Amino acid sequence: MDKKSLLQWQMDAGVDEAVGEEPVNHFSIPSPSEGECQGGGQPSSKPHPLPPPSRGGSNSKPLHHSPSAAAAIARQAADGCETLAKLEAAVRGFDGCAIKKTASKTVFADGNPKCTVMVIGEAPGAQEDVQGIPFCGPSGKLLDAMFATIGLTRPENLYISNTVFWRPPGNRQPTPEETAACLPFVEKHIALIAPKLLVLSGGTATTTLLNKDISISKLRGKTYDYTNPYLASPVPVMVTYHPSYLLRSPGQKRLAWADMLMVKDFLSQNQ
Ligand code: URA
């Protein structure tokens, strides 16, 4: 394959930046994600090289498992994780989500596992993919600033993760199949953290976890009961705008500020 076609294939797959100094031929060596497996999950029985390039673009990239099989494997793996360390290892070893193949890093979580508030965002972006830390780019800075105004910080009382653990190519929204494949891990994550309050940041987290396809503007301003198969009792949940949306629509920061005050109010009443 000539270099121009190879570059075109990468662009079709969503590649939009060079990460390393030297080019790496991913067609001749195993993908880095295989080296990440730590045995906690359900790693595939044999290594799977990147699929051969084709003119079909990213749609032609086969999933290693069908979406329902991937979700079932994730469920079985999540069922067996009784500690955060085991869960993280299982996520790193999971090969059922196709975006892992185009991502540089697995982005698991950041903050204090003994938090009061757990925040779930959408998906890692470009900076998160480089650093392996959720919300470490511009939207993360805004997220931190929003919570800092009510006295909450990552080292002390915030814990942050996403609906998927890998950056979707070109920063697109994760597909329902991708969020479904990761959902058992996210559910177990919430149960292991057991926060006083769960905050869903943006539409993808809200749709995925509340299973409601209703706009943030209609859902925000109230506390709901969130439950999943791993929780013995429901966790209170609030929804708010995603910081990337607020960066694009600063006029809505007023509403996000009201949401932060509601979080503060909730915490002061539920010590
Ligand atoms: N946006 C998200 O939803 N999550 C991140 O980690 C970064 C940006």
Side-chain angles (χ1 to χ4, degrees):
M1 174 177 254
D2 66 63
K3 286 181 183 153
K4 190 165 173 242
S5 314
L6 186 56
L7 195 58
Q8 186 60 52
W9 181 85
Q10 289 182 326
M11 286 165 70
D12 289 345
V15 175
D16 57 7
E17 65 185 274
V19 174
E21 293 295 322
E22 297 292 328
V24 177
N25 184 351
H26 287 287
F27 297 112
S28 67
I29 59 169
S31 87
S33 59
E34 285 156 19
E36 271 186 341
C37 294
Q38 295 180 13
Q42 296 279 326
S44 53
S45 53
K46 49 184 172 170
H48 53 285
L50 281 170
S54 81
R55 281 184 220 98
S58 55
N59 286 345
S60 64
K61 178 180 273 195
L63 256 183
H64 193 63
H65 307 283
S66 72
S68 57
I73 290 169
R75 177 65 65 197
Q76 208 185 6
D79 284 353
C81 296
E82 294 316 325
T83 65
L84 212 49
K86 282 189 180 158
L87 183 71
E88 180 169 355
V91 167
R92 289 181 186 279
F94 179 60
D95 284 332
C97 197
I99 47 178
K100 183 180 185 185
K101 291 184 187 165
T102 48
S104 317
K105 292 232 168 87
T106 298
V107 181
F108 184 67
D110 192 34
N112 187 348
K114 295 192 166 68
C115 65
T116 43
V117 176
M118 179 173 186
V119 181
I120 307 276
E122 181 178 291
Q127 301 232 3
E128 289 77 17
D129 188 52
V130 172
Q131 294 191 39
I133 299 168
F135 280 105
C136 63
S139 60
K141 288 199 172 56
L142 178 57
L143 188 84
D144 286 345
M146 285 162 61
F147 280 98
T149 57
I150 55 166
L152 301 178
T153 66
R154 296 192 202 200
E156 284 177 293
N157 25 38
L158 275 186
Y159 185 83
I160 297 174
S161 189
N162 283 302
T163 58
V164 294
F165 302 96
W166 300 276
R167 180 199 185 198
N171 283 353
R172 64 160 169 76
Q173 206 182 354
T175 64
E177 288 76 20
E178 288 156 2
T179 53
C182 294
L183 185 61
F185 295 121
V186 176
E187 290 181 341
K188 193 58 170 269
H189 209 169
I190 295 167
L192 290 171
I193 295 296
K196 265 200 181 128
L197 179 68
L198 183 64
V199 173
L200 304 179
S201 177
T204 303
T206 302
T207 310
T208 304
L209 288 161
L210 295 188
N211 208 10
K212 284 187 205 296
D213 204 3
I214 304 175
S215 68
I216 301 287
S217 62
K218 295 214 170 76
L219 288 172
R220 58 172 288 281
K222 288 198 193 100
T223 309
Y224 303 89
D225 276 344
Y226 167 77
T227 193
N228 75 40
Y230 302 116
L231 282 166
S233 56
V235 171
V237 62
M238 288 180 196
V239 309
T240 189
Y241 294 106
H242 193 283
S244 315
Y245 169 72
L246 296 173
L247 288 172
R248 293 193 305 273
S249 314
Q252 303 292 69
K253 284 185 183 171
R254 186 175 55 86
L255 299 173
W257 169 235
D259 294 341
M260 289 298 106
L261 292 180
M262 223 184 108
V263 170
K264 188 179 177 197
D265 218 39
F266 174 90
L267 294 178
S268 67
Q269 285 171 33
N270 296 272
Q271 298 279 6

